[in-house]
Amino acid sequence: MSKSIYLFLILLVFISCKKKYEVDDFRKELRPYLIRLSKEKSLPASDTIAKKFLEKNATKEELINLIDAKNPLLRVVAYRAIVNRSEPEYFDLLIKHLDDTAKVTWQYYEDAGGVFEVSDLMIRKAHDKNGLSPIQKKYLVEKVLLEYPFLDVSNWMIKDVDANEKYYNIIKYKSKVENEDKCGDQLIACYALSKFNKKEDVNFLYSVFHNSINGYCVESIFKSIEAFPDKIFFTLLKDYFEKNIKNKLTSKENITNDVLYFARAVASYENKDALDMLNYIEQNNTYINRPAWPPSNKIYVLKAATIHYNKIYDELIKKIKNEMNDCDLKSFGFSSYQLLENNEKKDW
């Protein structure tokens, strides 16, 4: 018998012997609540009496054993209880169970839900607890992207990763996956791909952006162009300006964050056409917030011109700042040409 076959058989025996706990394996006091949860068709959106009872009364060892229960919903409930109780083992338990790809329906709102792998739901719970250290997050992201890229949470992670070659292939693959119901996944992957600034990706990215820029999820397109301001993308911005911004900004309707990221993408080119578009946005939609001040259009343009500062923007920056007082500027994070972007905090 070859060594590889022998090792495979050992692994097979190990997997087959791994205990999956039944409800009857637990204390009598816990069983009624485990039975009740086992009958649920989806992970409840809110706490239930059964979930609360387990979190309060089950021992840590019982909850750890419950993560190996046969019922996948019980595994998720047990892990959530461990995280809620801030048990110190919850990160190690998460890493140990990343291969738990059984499917569970999660009713994340009373009227909305989806089907997720158990490990995906465990990752989301660990993140929501906000107890993962930067090192733990980095390790977890690497594990997921390199070994479990099929998890839905990977689409959330890649928007925050830096341009590291070890992630390039999986990011490039995800950027090619079209999904009409979740356009954001592909465009977020394109944003991650843009960070590599590779000329070989320009034509592909242009094609995706051209087909998507007049639809939903355009914020990711603008972020991509800002990260990789190749000259070919500027034509897309000019067309978007003519179709969606020029003569469309009105004091009767507030502007969205899309305009902020459009302005930032435009400002990254630091040319006369960019200045003209920024001037237009700054001069329009000005009074929507009155009596509050300053209005969003001026804030967005000031942020864009400050982040991508060039002397060509001096007069524009000076004009907007003269309309604001020191308290306005301080509250938005401006100091000279320094800018603190509070809305750019990374999740991962």
Side-chain angles (χ1 to χ4, degrees):
M1 182 184 295
S2 69
K3 184 177 180 181
S4 59
I5 295 177
Y6 179 72
L7 291 174
F8 174 76
L9 290 175
I10 292 177
L11 179 61
L12 189 63
V13 170
F14 172 77
I15 293 173
S16 63
C17 291
K18 186 177 181 181
K19 185 170 178 59
K20 292 292 184 181
Y21 291 93
E22 301 278 7
V23 169
D24 289 342
D25 293 323
F26 293 90
R27 272 191 297 130
K28 183 178 179 180
E29 292 82 358
L30 301 181
R31 290 176 199 166
Y33 302 95
L34 296 178
I35 291 172
R36 191 180 307 176
L37 286 167
S38 297
K39 293 179 180 179
E40 295 280 0
K41 293 182 179 180
S42 64
L43 195 64
S46 57
D47 276 341
T48 64
I49 294 175
K51 287 166 63 180
K52 289 180 179 179
F53 182 89
L54 284 177
E55 186 173 324
K56 182 177 180 181
N57 295 282
T59 67
K60 180 170 65 176
E61 289 71 23
E62 287 171 328
L63 290 176
I64 291 175
N65 288 339
L66 197 57
I67 298 178
D68 284 325
K70 282 190 175 181
N71 185 309
L73 188 145
L74 291 180
R75 303 203 289 268
V76 178
V77 170
Y79 186 73
R80 287 186 167 194
I82 286 172
V83 174
N84 287 338
R85 285 168 34 164
S86 299
E87 299 290 358
E89 296 90 348
Y90 81 82
F91 180 74
D92 292 335
L93 288 168
L94 171 60
I95 298 302
K96 182 180 177 182
H97 289 83
L98 285 177
D99 60 351
D100 191 342
T101 56
K103 299 294 182 69
V104 170
T105 298
W106 176 30
Q107 202 69 27
Y108 41 84
Y109 296 119
E110 295 295 343
D111 58 349
V115 179
F116 300 84
E117 286 85 356
V118 169
S119 57
D120 196 299
L121 294 175
M122 291 172 68
I123 292 169
R124 293 171 188 274
K125 181 61 181 179
H127 180 274
D128 289 346
K129 181 66 175 179
N130 199 29
L132 298 178
S133 70
I135 293 176
Q136 288 173 328
K137 285 184 178 181
K138 183 178 180 180
Y139 180 77
L140 181 57
V141 167
E142 182 171 333
K143 288 282 289 184
V144 170
L145 294 188
L146 297 184
E147 300 178 35
Y148 306 93
F150 53 85
L151 294 177
D152 188 74
V153 73
S154 68
N155 298 315
W156 178 20
M157 291 175 168
I158 61 174
K159 70 180 177 64
D160 288 339
V161 296
D162 294 325
N164 190 317
E165 281 296 325
K166 64 185 175 183
Y167 300 136
Y168 178 78
N169 288 336
I170 184 58
I171 288 173
K172 184 67 175 283
Y173 170 80
K174 284 180 173 290
S175 69
K176 295 180 178 180
V177 178
E178 298 181 15
N179 187 334
E180 292 183 2
D181 296 328
K182 298 182 70 176
C183 64
D185 286 351
Q186 183 184 21
L187 292 178
I188 286 173
C190 286
Y191 168 52
L193 186 65
S194 297
K195 296 178 189 179
F196 289 88
N197 279 219
K198 291 191 177 186
K199 278 291 184 180
E200 65 195 71
D201 295 327
V202 169
N203 290 335
F204 165 72
L205 288 170
Y206 178 87
S207 177
V208 176
F209 298 161
H210 181 267
N211 293 333
S212 307
I213 198 165
N214 291 307
Y216 300 104
C217 313
V218 293
E219 179 181 309
S220 292
I221 296 177
F222 300 144
K223 287 183 176 181
S224 299
I225 296 175
E226 180 184 19
F228 189 13
D230 189 271
K231 62 181 181 181
I232 193 175
F233 301 141
F234 196 65
T235 59
L236 295 174
L237 296 178
K238 292 173 72 173
D239 288 344
Y240 184 88
F241 176 78
E242 292 294 330
K243 293 178 181 177
N244 299 284
I245 293 182
K246 191 174 181 179
N247 299 322
K248 300 291 176 63
L249 300 183
T250 167
S251 60
K252 297 179 180 179
E253 185 177 354
N254 214 340
I255 59 177
T256 66
N257 280 344
D258 291 344
V259 178
L260 167 62
Y261 292 103
F262 172 82
R264 284 172 47 167
V266 166
S268 68
Y269 285 88
E270 302 175 9
N271 59 31
K272 176 63 166 55
D273 286 340
L275 177 61
D276 289 344
M277 286 188 271
L278 292 175
N279 272 319
Y280 182 88
I281 296 171
E282 184 272 331
Q283 292 165 11
N284 289 274
N285 194 247
T286 298
Y287 299 101
I288 184 67
N289 289 8
R290 284 197 172 184
W293 187 265
S296 297
N297 63 307
K298 292 182 181 292
I299 296 169
Y300 289 175
V301 169
L302 182 56
K303 284 186 175 184
T306 304
I307 293 169
H308 299 287
Y309 172 69
N310 183 291
K311 287 183 67 68
I312 196 174
Y313 301 139
D314 273 349
E315 289 189 17
L316 176 60
I317 291 173
K318 183 178 179 180
K319 177 180 182 297
I320 299 174
K321 283 191 171 183
N322 284 342
E323 297 178 7
M324 301 183 187
N325 57 42
D326 290 341
C327 290
D328 293 331
L329 295 173
K330 186 176 180 180
S331 66
F332 293 111
F334 295 97
S335 175
S336 184
Y337 290 124
Q338 301 297 315
L339 178 64
L340 300 177
E341 273 291 90
N342 296 326
N343 61 334
E344 292 298 303
K345 183 179 178 182
K346 292 184 176 182
D347 292 318
W348 292 100

